[in-house]
Amino acid sequence: MSKIVLVTGASGDLGAATARALAGSGHTAYAGIGPAARLAEPSEHGTGVRPISLDVADQRSVSTAVGDILTEAGRIDAVVHAVGPVPRGPLESFTPYQLAQIYDAHVLSTQRVNRSVLPRMRERQDGLLVWVVPANHDTEDAPYLALHSEVVTMIDHLAGSYARELTEFGVETTIVVPGFLVPENGPHVRTVHPDDTETVQAYEGRYPGLVHQVDSKLAARALTGAGVALAAQAIAAVVGSPKGTRPLRIVPGRPDAGSGEGAMW
């Protein structure tokens, strides 16, 4: 059965690839395009992809987008949550305002969307939340990425909590775990740099060259075009799977999920 799917962050590589993969599988993908990106004509994406203005940092924009989809399509069967940017730098050098923006981009944004779509899903006793949670986000061997580790861990826990709480409402959850970081556009990971450059320089004096080493590691851990396509196909496969068969957690490309993570696509 064809699904109506809202893909947030469709201006990025994975979001755009996911929208195309969903459309190629016979679904209708509403591709959420943020304020900084151009809203393309539907013909530019191909049949089945419908670009829609969506700023997940703005509740009014989220409510308007969800309302427009419900008016046009009558329902939303699934939501695909996008990946936020990667904060990179010494913890001390991020201002409180930046921390608020980072948590908003990763956590509050998903909450705005969920609170807009879940009432109708619960009413219908049907729906699917798909969360993309990058793997290997432990900071023990990755200095200056502590904030990234924190927000990704929080999203992982949030997704798991939603999965448990929504079970009796018939709404399912799948966490898709790409093996590497997800680029915004092209081969580069979208990063957030500290505003307090003076503090950054103080740390650079103690740990010379460390920032460049971290940037090199980020570049090496970015998903390739093939990896992005694989993750997008995995998401499309989950959306198209029969209710009750979707695993809680999948790792695209791995022959064996392990640890009870569910089947691979």
Side-chain angles (χ1 to χ4, degrees), residues 49-99:
V49 177
R50 303 187 182 184
I52 187 169
S53 178
L54 176 65
D55 180 3
V56 293
D58 181 355
Q59 182 61 61
R60 179 177 297 181
S61 174
V62 172
S63 299
T64 298
V66 170
D68 288 347
I69 296 172
L70 292 174
T71 297
E72 182 174 297
R75 70 185 194 277
I76 295 176
D77 298 305
V79 171
V80 180
H81 287 300
V83 180
V86 178
R88 187 274 289 151
L91 274 171
E92 183 188 349
S93 58
F94 287 94
T95 66
Y97 176 70
Q98 280 191 291
L99 258 65

Side-chain angles (χ1 to χ4, degrees), residues 44-181:
E44 295 183 42
H45 291 277
T47 304
V49 177
R50 303 187 182 184
I52 187 169
S53 178
L54 176 65
D55 180 3
V56 293
D58 181 355
Q59 182 61 61
R60 179 177 297 181
S61 174
V62 172
S63 299
T64 298
V66 170
D68 288 347
I69 296 172
L70 292 174
T71 297
E72 182 174 297
R75 70 185 194 277
I76 295 176
D77 298 305
V79 171
V80 180
H81 287 300
V83 180
V86 178
R88 187 274 289 151
L91 274 171
E92 183 188 349
S93 58
F94 287 94
T95 66
Y97 176 70
Q98 280 191 291
L99 258 65
Q101 289 181 308
I102 290 164
Y103 282 107
D104 192 311
H106 288 81
V107 180
L108 302 187
S109 60
T110 60
Q111 187 72 350
R112 292 186 187 99
V113 174
N114 285 347
R115 283 177 51 82
S116 296
V117 302
L118 282 174
R120 291 289 290 270
M121 287 184 175
R122 288 189 286 102
E123 181 182 346
R124 294 174 52 227
Q125 294 280 295
D126 192 30
L128 171 66
L129 300 180
V130 178
W131 308 70
V132 178
V133 178
N136 305 323
H137 56 269
D138 190 359
T139 59
E140 288 187 3
D141 65 340
Y144 291 177
L145 296 177
L147 281 179
H148 172 66
S149 178
E150 282 192 30
V151 293
V152 171
T153 299
M154 184 177 293
I155 284 295
D156 199 358
H157 290 170
L158 192 65
S161 296
Y162 262 115
R164 291 186 292 273
E165 294 181 4
L166 291 171
T167 298
E168 295 301 317
F169 291 101
V171 179
E172 297 184 325
T173 295
T174 291
I175 302 169
V176 179
V177 187
F180 300 93
L181 297 172

